[in-house]
Amino acid sequence: MSVMPITRRAFFRGRPTSSREYGPAISLLLVTPLLLLLLGGFLYPIGGLFWGSIFAPEATPKHYLRILQEPLYLLILWRTFEIAFLVTVVALLLGYPVALAMARVSGRAAMLIAACVLIPLWTSVLVRSYAWIVLLQRNGVINNTLQETGLTQAPLQMLYTQGAVVAAMTQVLLPFMVLPIYSVLRTVPDDLPKAARNLGAGSLLAFLHVTLPLSLPGVTAGVLITFILSLGFYITPALVGGPGTLMMSTLIGQQTTELLNWPFAGALSAVLLLATLLLVVVFRRALALNGGFKLG
């Protein structure tokens, strides 16, 4: 008895149609709402802001020259990238062990760790920023505790400092570092580190040569997400930082809401966006060359 070969079309006959079998017209129709939302909610306002910084009435490229010529704006730009870098490094150092614990434990312990990571995402950033003010102010919880225990004689200046901004932003953005790393670590088989230890490697060497390299895609995603979000953070630096730690987002907000200088705000936004894109491209390129893999 002969058996007819099962073709791909015959195998999938009667089954739900795959998205790959949709024609170009139907595929374009399906993504049209998302494209319209992207155009109306992102590209149009951003493009209008950039256009107004150069071609609007009474607007010339002098705004970009002003950014390059006045040291204050270059200092704020540098401080923005410095704080974003520090927040990313601290979030990585704190978030990786948490993600590793989430991926290795099970049961109630895993649920407890996941709750500690996810519950802050359900709390307003404004509320969490005010909580840091309560903790760090001169008569706050930390200063009162230090004075009552005799460790300090007078209140310490902790609020409106760069350290306060880094700590508050790290606490807010920590879940964005933990979740991508956890999503990759949970796919790493437990047999691989065990095999490394059976071959004579210690726990540290097994982690450095097996677990850490396999988790690099999650680390890269978490680093990029945290760094990019840090560059545009507005509420927390404005409340916890003060004038001494002014960042680009706060400066742009002042130019639009207080000074009504929209062309200059557009120039600041364009410089920040271009600098961010340049760093992301360099970061991806460096990973592709040194890490042996590419994102996406």
Side-chain angles (χ1 to χ4, degrees):
M1 181 178 62
S2 62
V3 180
M4 295 181 59
I6 299 177
T7 62
R8 183 177 184 274
R9 183 177 298 274
F11 179 77
F12 285 102
R13 186 175 299 165
R15 302 184 61 175
T17 304
S18 173
S19 60
R20 297 181 180 179
E21 297 182 6
Y22 289 137
I26 298 180
S27 300
L28 180 60
L29 181 62
L30 292 175
V31 301
T32 296
L34 178 61
L35 293 177
L36 293 177
L37 180 62
L38 180 64
L39 178 63
F42 180 74
L43 295 179
Y44 176 74
I46 294 297
L49 192 62
F50 292 168
W51 181 271
S53 66
I54 300 178
F55 300 106
E58 301 180 0
T60 63
K62 67 179 182 181
H63 298 292
Y64 294 91
L65 296 177
R66 177 183 174 186
I67 297 175
L68 298 176
Q69 292 174 354
E70 298 188 17
L72 174 62
Y73 301 117
L74 294 178
L75 176 62
I76 294 175
L77 181 63
W78 171 258
R79 182 190 299 136
T80 300
F81 281 94
E82 180 184 6
I83 292 178
F85 175 78
L86 292 176
V87 169
T88 303
V89 171
V90 176
L92 178 60
L93 295 177
L94 296 178
Y96 195 99
V98 176
L100 186 62
M102 287 179 61
R104 292 293 180 262
V105 301
S106 59
R108 293 184 177 180
M111 295 179 59
L112 178 61
I113 298 175
C116 294
V117 174
L118 295 176
I119 288 178
L121 290 176
W122 306 336
T123 308
S124 171
V125 177
L126 184 63
V127 174
R128 283 185 280 174
S129 300
Y130 275 114
W132 277 100
I133 294 178
V134 173
L135 290 174
L136 300 177
Q137 61 186 347
R138 294 182 63 85
N139 296 322
V141 176
I142 297 179
N143 268 318
N144 289 338
T145 302
L146 291 176
Q147 293 181 74
E148 290 174 359
T149 56
L151 296 177
T152 59
Q153 301 297 327
L156 301 178
Q157 179 62 39
M158 293 183 289
L159 196 61
Y160 307 128
T161 62
Q162 182 168 314
V165 174
V166 171
M169 290 178 59
T170 301
Q171 188 267 334
V172 173
L173 295 175
L174 190 60
F176 297 98
M177 179 67 74
V178 173
L179 294 178
I181 299 176
Y182 164 73
S183 65
V184 175
L185 284 175
R186 65 190 299 267
T187 63
V188 178
D190 294 336
D191 296 338
L192 297 181
K194 292 179 180 178
R197 289 194 293 270
N198 289 335
L199 293 174
S203 299
L204 180 60
L205 289 179
F207 170 77
L208 293 177
H209 293 281
V210 178
T211 304
L212 182 60
L214 292 176
S215 65
L216 284 181
V219 172
T220 304
V223 165
L224 283 178
I225 294 173
T226 305
F227 183 76
I228 293 175
L229 290 176
S230 300
L231 290 176
F233 232 62
Y234 177 78
I235 296 177
T236 302
L239 294 177
V240 181
T245 56
L246 188 66
M247 297 179 64
M248 286 291 289
S249 57
T250 309
L251 179 62
I252 294 171
Q254 291 178 353
Q255 295 295 325
T256 55
T257 59
E258 299 179 10
L259 302 178
L260 302 180
N261 192 350
W262 286 87
F264 186 56
L268 292 172
S269 303
V271 170
L272 179 61
L273 178 60
L274 293 176
T276 304
L277 292 177
L278 178 61
L279 283 180
V280 170
V281 170
V282 172
F283 184 70
R284 288 167 59 97
R285 186 63 177 172
L287 286 175
L289 294 176
N290 300 326
F293 63 92
K294 295 182 180 180
L295 296 177

